[in-house]
Amino acid sequence: MQNHILLWLKLETGGLSSLGSEYFPILQVSAIVTDTEMNEITSYRQAIFQESSEIDKCSEKALQMHNATGLIDEVRESGVTLKQAEIDIIELLVEAGAEASSQGVNVAFLAGQNVSAHENQFLIYQMPTLKNFLHFSNLDIAAIGLAQNLWNPESASEMGVYTDWSDDSPNAKIRRTIQSAKYYKNKIENL
């Protein structure tokens, strides 16, 4: 029996412009690990230490936002490097039963909101060991939501009951995405 794992990932970064995932620093890594029924196994949130020269690469908009939330101060004071965070997350995945995608039957998939366009790209350039540990396929909830809105827009209004917008922290954003995934899973199972 396969016991796949989902890594729900949210990265706070120094920007999103065309300079991209090779240039902007990763400032915070937030993750929730679940089984495929979306039962939470463990979670992780860590500000990532960056030198001042890396923080200086942040876009003006990102600096404004992350200074307002206090994240830049957390980054300056953090003792955790990006490499250590990468190791920490792989260890959480292994503890949850995942094996490296090239070796195992019980693999971990990257999951989240727009993960194909954002988190996946940052993993390729800045966290390649984690990227290589994960299966090459991603579970991108935004793509499922887009399909629903295009092909069955009437049902999109049902989504409101599955979300709680009172908390805007990275892990709360991940939990809202997991709630959406549960909604879509239920719909797919009942086709």
Coordinates of all heavy atoms in Angstrom, one line a residue, residues 4 6 15 20 31 43-44 57 60 67 86 111 120-121 129 138 152 154 159 171 181 184 189 191:
H4 N 1.4 8.1 0.4 CA 2.1 9.3 -0.1 C 1.9 10.4 0.9 O 0.9 10.4 1.7 CB 1.5 9.8 -1.5 CG 1.8 8.8 -2.6 ND1 3.0 8.3 -2.8 CD2 0.9 8.2 -3.4 CE1 3.0 7.5 -3.9 NE2 1.7 7.4 -4.2
L6 N 1.9 14.8 1.5 CA 1.8 16.1 0.8 C 2.6 17.1 1.6 O 2.4 17.2 2.8 CB 0.4 16.5 0.7 CG -0.5 15.6 -0.2 CD1 -2.0 16.1 -0.1 CD2 0.0 15.5 -1.6
G15 N 10.8 39.0 -3.4 CA 10.2 39.6 -4.6 C 9.7 38.6 -5.5 O 9.9 37.4 -5.4
G20 N 13.3 37.2 -10.5 CA 12.9 35.8 -10.2 C 13.6 35.1 -9.1 O 14.3 35.7 -8.2
A31 N 5.6 25.4 6.3 CA 5.2 24.1 5.7 C 4.3 23.4 6.7 O 4.4 23.4 7.9 CB 6.4 23.2 5.4
S43 N 4.0 20.5 11.4 CA 4.1 21.8 10.7 C 5.5 22.4 11.0 O 6.2 21.9 11.9 CB 3.0 22.7 11.1 OG 3.1 23.0 12.5
Y44 N 5.8 23.4 10.2 CA 7.2 24.0 10.4 C 7.0 25.5 9.9 O 6.3 25.8 9.0 CB 8.1 23.3 9.4 CG 9.6 23.8 9.4 CD1 10.5 23.3 10.3 CD2 10.0 24.7 8.5 CE1 11.8 23.7 10.3 CE2 11.3 25.1 8.5 CZ 12.2 24.6 9.4 OH 13.5 25.0 9.3
K57 N 18.6 42.9 -1.7 CA 18.1 42.4 -3.0 C 16.6 42.5 -3.1 O 16.0 42.4 -4.2 CB 18.6 41.0 -3.4 CG 20.1 40.9 -3.7 CD 20.4 39.4 -4.0 CE 21.9 39.2 -4.3 NZ 22.1 37.8 -4.6
E60 N 11.3 46.7 -3.3 CA 10.8 47.8 -2.4 C 9.5 47.3 -1.8 O 9.3 47.5 -0.6 CB 10.6 49.1 -3.2 CG 10.2 50.2 -2.3 CD 10.2 51.6 -3.0 OE1 11.0 51.8 -3.9 OE2 9.3 52.3 -2.7
N67 N 8.9 44.4 6.4 CA 9.3 45.2 7.6 C 8.1 45.4 8.4 O 8.1 45.4 9.7 CB 9.9 46.6 7.1 CG 11.4 46.5 6.9 OD1 12.1 45.9 7.8 ND2 11.8 47.1 5.8
E86 N 16.1 23.4 4.7 CA 16.0 22.4 3.7 C 16.1 21.0 4.4 O 15.3 20.1 4.2 CB 17.0 22.6 2.6 CG 16.8 21.7 1.4 CD 17.8 22.1 0.3 OE1 18.9 22.5 0.6 OE2 17.4 21.9 -0.9
A111 N 2.7 20.6 -2.6 CA 1.3 21.0 -2.7 C 1.1 22.4 -2.2 O 1.9 22.9 -1.4 CB 0.4 20.1 -1.9
N120 N 7.8 26.1 -6.4 CA 8.6 25.2 -7.2 C 9.8 25.8 -7.8 O 10.9 25.3 -7.8 CB 7.7 24.6 -8.2 CG 8.3 23.4 -8.9 OD1 8.8 22.5 -8.2 ND2 8.4 23.4 -10.2
Q121 N 9.6 27.1 -8.3 CA 10.7 27.7 -9.0 C 11.8 28.1 -8.0 O 13.0 28.0 -8.2 CB 10.2 29.0 -9.7 CG 9.4 28.7 -10.9 CD 10.0 27.8 -11.9 OE1 11.1 28.1 -12.3 NE2 9.4 26.7 -12.2
T129 N 18.1 20.3 -3.0 CA 18.1 18.9 -2.4 C 16.6 18.6 -2.0 O 16.2 17.4 -2.2 CB 19.0 19.0 -1.1 OG1 20.3 19.3 -1.5 CG2 19.0 17.6 -0.5
N138 N 3.4 18.2 -9.0 CA 2.9 19.1 -7.9 C 1.4 19.0 -7.9 O 0.7 18.9 -8.9 CB 3.3 20.5 -8.2 CG 4.8 20.7 -8.4 OD1 5.5 20.1 -7.6 ND2 5.2 21.6 -9.3
N152 N -17.4 25.3 -14.2 CA -18.6 25.2 -13.4 C -18.6 26.4 -12.4 O -18.5 26.2 -11.2 CB -18.6 23.9 -12.6 CG -19.9 23.6 -12.0 OD1 -20.8 24.4 -12.0 ND2 -19.9 22.5 -11.3
E154 N -20.8 28.3 -11.2 CA -21.9 28.3 -10.2 C -21.5 27.7 -8.9 O -21.8 28.1 -7.8 CB -23.2 27.6 -10.7 CG -23.7 28.1 -12.0 CD -23.0 27.5 -13.2 OE1 -22.7 26.3 -13.2 OE2 -22.7 28.3 -14.2
M159 N -17.4 27.5 -2.1 CA -16.1 27.5 -1.4 C -16.1 28.4 -0.2 O -15.3 28.1 0.7 CB -15.0 28.0 -2.4 CG -14.6 27.0 -3.4 SD -13.7 25.6 -2.7 CE -12.3 26.5 -2.1
N171 N 1.1 29.9 7.8 CA 0.5 28.6 8.1 C -1.0 28.7 8.0 O -1.6 27.7 7.6 CB 0.9 28.1 9.5 CG 2.3 27.4 9.4 OD1 3.0 27.5 8.4 ND2 2.7 26.8 10.5
A181 N -8.5 22.2 -0.8 CA -8.2 20.9 -1.4 C -9.2 19.8 -0.9 O -9.6 19.0 -1.6 CB -6.7 20.5 -1.0
Y184 N -12.3 20.2 -2.9 CA -12.2 19.6 -4.2 C -12.1 18.1 -4.2 O -12.6 17.4 -5.0 CB -10.9 20.2 -5.0 CG -11.0 21.7 -5.3 CD1 -10.0 22.5 -4.9 CD2 -12.1 22.2 -5.9 CE1 -10.2 23.9 -5.2 CE2 -12.3 23.5 -6.2 CZ -11.3 24.4 -5.8 OH -11.4 25.7 -6.1
E189 N -14.3 12.9 -5.4 CA -14.8 11.6 -5.0 C -16.2 11.3 -5.2 O -16.6 10.1 -5.4 CB -14.5 11.4 -3.5 CG -13.0 11.3 -3.1 CD -12.8 11.2 -1.6 OE1 -13.6 11.7 -0.8 OE2 -11.7 10.7 -1.3
L191 N -18.0 12.4 -7.9 CA -18.3 12.5 -9.3 C -19.1 11.3 -9.8 O -18.9 10.2 -9.4 CB -17.1 12.7 -10.2 CG -16.4 14.0 -10.1 CD1 -15.2 14.0 -10.9 CD2 -17.3 15.2 -10.5

